[in-house]
């Protein structure tokens, strides 16, 4: 007998249908009316057969089966102890439904059990997981989170790729027959392929059209398969990169998070921002302005200079001082000492306390850098425990370093003890947790080990916030963001590049968890010199901080930075809960976003003029997410525009248009130089 199950949120419906064998997702799309006839929906979805086909269409189930002649990639590939491919005959066992927002389906086969779990979370995101258990050990090659059909509504895949200092690049490509397989094989969620994808409906853009957003909550490698079958059906699968094919009796995928939007990419992006924000570990409020000394002094630690830097940082408005790499072992450059987490008494003869006391006397908290999962061959730890290294002895190093095998309890114990000793002996409220090399091979046990260590440290030091950094944005995913409060989005503090990276990362990342700093005048990753006004406002779009040597600032630069920092402090509370909407600028040289308060009462627009426009005058910028019937008072913050010689209402004072006018007619900004940014504040009247 065929059964139906239904999960709903305000904007979408999932319908599952199944009989004796594995169920399939019959429908995932815009919300269906209550009382929809699911049997009729099922009947409507039945497909014909024709020549050159099997006599029935093999089901595109929650775990498509090769045994049933499914013509695409199967949802599970596993081998028994004898090496034979498993071809279980699944039989429905039971379903569990809880409080209308959770559902589990359970199946049984000879010596195996398979379950699919679905839940509707806060923010209207659907999560889905698969669990497989066996009575005897099996070898797992692939297990997908519940496999979803992809409706023909979706034309394009918006794929995410990136690189060091070039995170979160979006690639839009048509979905065509065959497979698009993306795999992050470097062991981290990675710069290269963050575990995130969007399927865009006909003509979908930031603010309109149907979009299916997906992300996989896992900090290790993942694989995504998007496949259009010869019969026209399409499927999407997400799961771990298995690497060494684990042998065991229990396997689960991580959660696949799914957002269905009918309001373009922003609908999915906002749902993900809210989901991630709600799952962050507790953190200090208001969010303190950071100062991080890395780009000021690198490994050159000197108490007198750092005290002077701290004085100036505090004067600019910093509220937390983070001492970066170089305080431990004999770490004078990046060739040694990872693993030796004892204070370097050559640089710090009286320990870190003199700096911490000074920083605290200025009213700032203190944070410290670690890179726990790594080891240099030039370290006491390596000399004592060469066997703690992950991977083969002849592997290629990365930044002259190797990874510790985090699946080993003795490695985790060592790191826990070392980090705890430093945290217990000092008043430290923040860790910048770095991870600067790719794994020698993908390894899920490594990620589990890291999670275990982070969980243990968080339990022992609940007051200490943790930032995830991996050469900038090499480990940004929903798994790490339930253990860390903030990510270091990129090692690029070039404000123009940051403007773009922040814009695209906002499809997923909430502002409150996204670190953004004002770097040195000459950017160390691009060599570019950009005006302080742009640098400061780009940092003020997210969790603000400074990273330059403040001794290099001119009076004018310091005054601008102080002013923007004061603005950020006055606005940080509501911005910490705000939704970020990417605006569809008609001008490709404009990168603009609107941050809308949770209660809809206020907003701010950051409109970056990243390059010179093709046309001579700015095109109107249409806003998004506002109440069409409400009136808003809008004000352009003062800016200097030598190119502007007309008379614009906005530069003369505030205006009070309706949300509808702002969203359909838009705002006309003055003619601007490239590499500038305009800030528009809005208040609902
Ligand atoms: C890479 C990080 O992304 C930088 O911010 C800095 O912490 C260095 N590592 C330190 O080695």
């Amino acid at each position: 007998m065929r059964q139906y199950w239904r999960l709903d949120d305000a904007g979408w419906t999932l319908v599952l249908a199944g009989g004796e064998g594995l169920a399939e997702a019959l429908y995932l799309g815009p919300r269906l009316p209550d009382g929809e006839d699911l049997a009729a929906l099922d009947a409507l979805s039945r497909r014909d057969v024709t020549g050159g086909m099997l006599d029935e269409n093999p089901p595109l189930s929650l775990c498509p089966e090769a045994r049933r002649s499914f013509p695409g990639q199967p949802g599970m590939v596993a081998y028994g102890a004898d090496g034979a491919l498993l071809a279980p005959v699944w039989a429905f066992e039971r379903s569990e439904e809880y409080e209308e927002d959770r559902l589990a389906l359970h199946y049984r086969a000879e010596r195996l059990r398979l379950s699919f779990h679905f839940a509707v979370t806060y923010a209207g995101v659907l999560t889905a997981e698969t669990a497989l258990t066996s009575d005897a050990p099996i070898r797992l090659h692939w297990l997908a989170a519940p496999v979803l059909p992809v409706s023909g509504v979706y034309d394009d895949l918006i794929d995410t790729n990136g690189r060091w200092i070039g995170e979160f690049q979006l690639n839009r490509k048509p979905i065509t027959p065959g497979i698009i397989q993306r795999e992050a094989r470097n062991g981290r969620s990675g710069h290269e392929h963050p575990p995130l994808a969007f399927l865009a409906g006909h003509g979908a853009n930031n603010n309109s059209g149907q979009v299916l957003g997906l992300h996989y909550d896992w900090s290790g490698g993942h694989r995504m398969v998007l496949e259009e079958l010869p019969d026209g059906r399409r499927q999407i699968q997400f799961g771990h990169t298995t690497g060494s094919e684990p042998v065991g009796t229990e396997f689960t995928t991580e959660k696949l998070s799914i957002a269905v939007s009918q309001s373009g990419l922003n609908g999915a992006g906002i749902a993900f921002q809210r989901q991630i924000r709600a799952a962050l570990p507790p953190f200090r409020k208001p969010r303190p302005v950071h100062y991080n000394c890395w780009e000021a002094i690198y490994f050159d630690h000197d108490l007198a200079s750092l005290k002077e830097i701290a004085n100036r940082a505090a004067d600019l408005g910093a509220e937390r001082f983070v001492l970066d790499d170089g305080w431990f072992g004999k770490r004078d450059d990046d060739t040694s000492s990872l693993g030796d987490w004892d204070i370097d008494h050559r640089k710090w003869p009286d320990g870190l306390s003199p700096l911490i006391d000074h920083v605290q006397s200025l009213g700032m908290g203190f944070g410290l850098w670690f890179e726990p999962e790594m080891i240099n061959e030039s370290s006491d730890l390596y000399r004592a425990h060469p066997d703690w290294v992950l991977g083969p002895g002849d592997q290629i190093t990365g930044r002259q370093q190797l990874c510790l095998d985090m699946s080993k309890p003795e490695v985790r114990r060592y790191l826990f003890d070392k980090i705890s000793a430093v945290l217990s002996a000092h008043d430290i409220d923040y860790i910048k947790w770095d991870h600067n090399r790719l794994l020698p091979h993908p390894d899920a046990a490594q990620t589990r080990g890291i999670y275990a260590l982070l969980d243990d440290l968080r339990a022992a030091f609940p007051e200490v916030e943790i930032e995830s950094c991996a050469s900038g944005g090499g480990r940004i995913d929903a798994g790490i963001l339930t253990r860390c409060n903030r990510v270091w989005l990129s090692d690029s503090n070039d404000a123009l590049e940051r403007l773009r990276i922040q814009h695209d990362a906002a499809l997923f990342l909430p502002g409150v968890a996204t670190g953004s700093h004002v770097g040195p005048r000459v950017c160390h990753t691009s060599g570019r010199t950009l005006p302080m006004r742009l640098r400061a406002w780009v940092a003020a779009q997210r969790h603000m901080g400074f990273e330059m040597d403040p001794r290099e600032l001119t009076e004018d630069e310091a005054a601008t930075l102080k002013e923007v920092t004061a603005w950020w402090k006055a606005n940080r509370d509501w911005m910490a809960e705000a939704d970020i909407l990417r605006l569809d600028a008609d001008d490709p040289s404009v990168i603009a976003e609107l941050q809308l308060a949770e209660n809809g009462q206020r907003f701010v627009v950051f409109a970056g003029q990243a390059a010179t426009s093709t046309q001579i005058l700015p095109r109107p910028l249409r806003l998004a997410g506002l109440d069409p019937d409400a009136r808003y008072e809008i004000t352009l913050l003062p800016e200097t525009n030598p190119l502007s010689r007309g008379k614009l209402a906005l530069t003369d004072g505030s205006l009070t248009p309706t949300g509808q006018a702002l969203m359909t007619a838009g705002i006309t900004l003055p003619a601007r130089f490239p590499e500038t940014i305009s800030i528009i504040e809005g208040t609902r009247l």
Side-chain angles (χ1 to χ4, degrees):
M1 194 194 69
R2 208 142 155 93
Q3 295 186 63
Y4 302 99
W5 300 269
R6 175 176 172 159
L7 278 179
D8 295 286
D9 187 63
W12 54 260
T13 297
L14 169 73
V15 179
L16 303 174
E20 271 309 293
L22 298 179
E24 59 196 290
L26 193 63
Y27 177 85
L28 174 63
R31 167 122 192 180
L32 296 172
D34 293 341
E36 180 71 60
D37 181 345
L38 301 183
L41 186 74
D42 194 9
L44 280 171
S45 74
R46 289 266 157 266
R47 291 168 166 251
D48 202 357
V49 287
T50 183
M53 299 184 72
L54 299 176
D55 295 335
E56 267 180 52
N57 287 300
L60 198 171
S61 71
L62 297 172
C63 185
E65 297 162 271
R67 187 188 69 81
R68 303 202 62 190
S69 305
F70 182 71
Q73 296 300 299
M76 178 189 101
V77 179
Y79 302 88
D82 58 359
L85 182 68
L86 297 180
V89 181
W90 296 113
F92 177 69
E93 195 178 58
R94 68 198 158 89
S95 62
E96 292 174 278
E97 284 160 89
Y98 321 85
E99 295 173 1
E100 298 192 340
D101 62 0
R102 277 181 301 149
L103 167 68
L105 302 183
H106 302 282
Y107 296 84
R108 192 174 256 291
E110 197 190 345
R111 310 183 75 184
L112 293 170
R113 284 171 304 284
L114 185 66
S115 301
F116 304 103
H117 300 265
F118 297 90
V120 187
T121 60
Y122 164 82
V125 173
L126 170 68
T127 63
E129 287 165 275
T130 305
L132 172 68
T133 52
S134 166
D135 293 347
I138 56 172
R139 185 158 58 86
L140 186 70
H141 178 76
W142 172 243
L143 181 66
V147 176
L148 300 171
V150 172
S151 152
V153 163
Y154 302 110
D155 287 341
D156 297 328
L157 166 68
I158 300 180
D159 204 357
T160 44
N161 73 295
R163 59 170 166 82
W164 177 65
I165 61 170
E167 287 83 350
F168 284 95
Q169 303 186 32
L170 304 181
N171 276 307
R172 190 164 182 150
K173 44 196 168 202
I175 304 172
T176 52
I179 298 179
I180 298 174
Q181 177 168 312
R182 179 183 80 189
E183 190 150 9
R185 293 194 60 82
N186 288 326
R188 308 182 296 201
S189 39
H191 294 95
E192 300 79 13
H193 301 294
L196 178 68
F198 296 87
L199 304 179
H202 308 309
N205 57 21
N206 283 323
N207 288 303
S208 63
Q210 191 167 320
V211 168
L212 186 69
L214 306 115
H215 69 84
Y216 192 57
D217 298 16
W218 178 241
S219 308
H222 79 282
R223 184 193 298 167
M224 179 200 80
V225 176
L226 173 61
E227 184 174 26
E228 182 168 308
L229 304 174
D231 61 30
R233 290 180 297 173
R234 295 136 145 211
Q235 62 161 338
I236 191 158
Q237 302 189 2
F238 273 84
H240 290 22
T241 300
T242 45
S244 55
E245 300 200 343
V247 175
T249 55
E250 291 191 7
F251 307 91
T252 53
T253 67
E254 293 303 313
K255 287 192 182 85
L256 175 64
S257 291
I258 303 146
V260 181
S261 161
Q262 285 188 281
S263 51
L265 287 164
N266 282 334
I270 289 171
F272 289 159
Q273 290 167 27
R274 291 179 183 173
Q275 176 197 22
I276 302 238
R277 203 161 57 218
L280 291 172
F283 50 75
R284 191 175 132 187
K285 288 178 191 153
R287 301 306 288 137
V289 175
H290 277 202
Y291 176 77
N292 181 300
C293 65
W294 175 243
E295 292 177 29
I297 55 149
Y298 299 100
F299 298 99
D300 192 9
H301 290 198
D302 163 64
L303 179 61
S305 307
L306 282 164
K307 279 182 165 177
E308 177 56 18
I309 287 173
N311 294 343
R312 295 191 188 219
D315 183 53
L316 291 168
E319 297 161 314
R320 175 182 275 151
F321 184 100
V322 181
L323 182 65
D324 211 279
D325 196 355
W327 58 268
F328 54 91
K330 295 196 173 51
R331 181 100 167 148
D332 296 331
D333 55 31
D334 61 11
T335 60
S336 88
S337 301
L338 292 173
D340 298 345
W341 299 109
D342 298 301
I343 295 164
D344 180 353
H345 286 283
R346 297 171 313 152
K347 295 181 189 172
W348 298 96
D350 300 314
L352 297 177
S353 297
L355 178 64
I356 297 178
D357 292 347
H358 182 74
V359 158
Q360 291 182 337
S361 74
L362 296 166
M364 293 192 280
F366 186 80
L368 194 60
W369 182 95
F370 286 91
E371 194 177 1
E373 299 143 76
M374 298 295 156
I375 182 167
N376 285 116
E377 285 167 294
S378 172
S379 68
D380 293 341
L381 184 65
Y382 184 82
R383 286 181 280 275
H385 293 289
D387 53 312
W388 282 7
V389 168
L390 180 75
D394 61 350
Q395 64 180 281
I396 302 171
T397 53
R399 206 193 190 199
Q400 292 83 237
Q401 63 199 51
L402 299 161
C403 299
L404 288 166
D405 183 345
M406 298 296 293
S407 70
K408 286 186 162 52
E410 61 273 29
V411 171
R412 297 200 299 270
R413 168 56 50 196
Y414 169 83
L415 291 171
F416 181 88
D417 289 347
K418 283 290 183 190
I419 297 169
S420 301
V422 178
L423 295 182
S424 304
H426 302 93
D427 192 358
I428 292 176
D429 66 5
Y430 193 80
I431 292 177
K432 177 175 175 184
W433 185 293
D434 213 337
H435 185 293
N436 285 305
R437 68 154 283 170
L438 314 173
L439 265 54
H441 51 74
D443 188 340
Q446 182 76 0
T447 305
R448 292 205 182 90
I450 294 156
Y451 284 174
L453 176 60
L454 282 166
D455 292 345
D456 289 349
L457 282 166
R458 289 202 325 104
F461 301 94
E463 304 296 316
V464 177
E465 295 178 20
I466 304 179
E467 170 178 47
S468 169
C469 172
S471 305
R475 187 157 63 187
I476 299 182
D477 56 80
I480 210 75
L481 279 162
T482 57
R483 296 170 171 90
C484 298
N485 312 85
R486 183 195 211 238
V487 293
W488 183 229
L489 177 59
S490 177
D491 275 352
S492 174
N493 276 333
D494 176 304
L496 280 182
E497 291 173 4
R498 265 300 174 116
L499 184 70
R500 199 284 304 155
I501 298 170
Q502 288 177 178
H503 188 72
D504 291 334
L507 282 177
F508 169 74
L509 264 183
V512 69
T514 310
S516 193
H517 295 175
V518 180
R521 185 181 301 121
V522 180
C523 172
H524 77 155
T525 52
S526 68
R528 212 169 358 216
T529 300
L530 292 164
M532 175 55 84
R533 189 173 182 282
L534 177 71
R535 287 152 63 201
W537 278 113
V538 168
Q541 287 183 284
R542 300 294 185 265
H543 181 192
M544 187 174 192
F546 322 136
E547 192 143 346
M548 88 302 278
D549 186 336
R551 295 172 297 186
E552 77 169 22
L553 298 181
T554 62
E555 268 181 37
D556 276 359
E557 286 172 335
T560 303
L561 184 52
K562 270 190 194 177
E563 203 180 299
V564 177
T565 306
W567 180 93
W568 190 78
K569 286 183 179 175
N571 288 276
R572 62 184 158 186
D573 287 340
W574 73 264
M575 281 171 64
E577 310 287 332
D579 293 329
I580 303 171
L581 289 97
R582 293 151 37 100
L583 298 179
D584 285 310
D586 299 333
D587 181 343
S589 54
V590 171
I591 299 177
E593 70 178 31
L594 179 147
Q595 297 198 19
L596 183 62
E598 205 180 14
N599 62 10
Q601 292 302 309
R602 61 195 301 179
F603 66 81
V604 59
V605 173
F606 297 94
Q609 180 77 44
T612 305
S613 301
T614 310
Q615 74 289 342
I616 196 163
L617 289 176
R619 296 199 159 122
L621 179 65
R622 284 170 282 106
L623 307 191
L626 304 179
D627 178 348
D629 297 324
R631 276 190 183 279
Y632 295 85
E633 179 171 11
I634 57 165
T635 312
L636 177 68
L637 296 196
E639 55 185 49
T640 313
N641 291 308
L643 287 181
S644 167
R645 59 191 184 91
K647 217 165 155 33
L648 284 186
L650 250 191
T651 47
D652 275 358
S654 300
L655 296 172
T656 56
T658 61
Q660 182 69 19
L662 288 168
M663 293 191 290
T664 52
I667 290 178
T668 307
L669 291 167
R672 306 181 284 167
F673 275 158
E675 303 177 352
T676 56
I677 188 165
S678 300
I679 318 298
I680 301 134
E681 292 182 314
T683 311
R684 187 179 171 135
L685 297 175

